[in-house]
Amino acid sequence: MLAKAAGVPMPEDTVFDAIERLHAELDEVRSLLTGPQSSVRLVLTPEQVVLAEARRSYTTLSLYGYRVDGVVANRVFPHEGADDWRAGWVAAQTAVLDQVGQSFAGLPVWHSQYRTAEPVGVDLLAEMASAAYDGSDPLAVPDHEGP
């Protein structure tokens, strides 16, 4: 009837049914991601632009009711044995990491050291996680309520 009244072709009922199913499934996903046992963990590299984007993401997630449980600073240069070039990067990253602590006060911040190769595979990922989380439980339920 609407197609005849408006004079434009309208999608069939199957299209509307598919949209309603998609909406219901998205509601289920949102319920899952905002549940009491759920949280989001931000991952960033210690660089100014990346930190600014992580702040925006944190704000947006919080506004939409997603709980952020911590921050992982990835690809952090080690302090030991730094040559002049790397010492400059270490200093720059240290300044940004100080801002990370201030920007996400109250949240744990874990550091994952820069590696010579990407950690591909279960063994290398487990090794990286063990070093980054340093004995804390990465799957622990957050101890704070809501965003």
Side-chain angles (χ1 to χ4, degrees), residues 10-96:
M10 296 298 292
E12 295 190 23
D13 288 343
T14 56
V15 173
F16 291 110
D17 292 343
I19 291 171
E20 285 179 3
R21 279 193 313 276
L22 175 63
H23 191 289
E25 289 172 3
L26 289 173
D27 279 345
E28 288 179 29
V29 170
R30 177 169 168 69
S31 293
L32 176 69
L33 294 176
T34 57
Q37 300 290 316
S38 300
S39 60
V40 176
R41 187 156 302 157
L42 297 175
V43 179
L44 56 82
T45 54
E47 300 163 11
Q48 288 293 334
V49 172
V50 178
L51 174 58
E53 187 58 37
R55 285 180 188 136
R56 279 190 287 278
S57 295
Y58 180 55
T59 300
T60 302
L61 288 165
S62 296
L63 287 171
Y64 283 97
Y66 297 97
R67 177 180 24 210
V68 176
D69 70 355
V71 179
V72 176
N74 194 19
R75 302 181 86 184
V76 177
F77 280 109
H79 291 256
E80 310 81 43
D83 55 34
D84 289 342
W85 180 83
R86 197 171 50 180
W89 274 105
V90 168
Q93 286 187 338
T94 299
V96 173

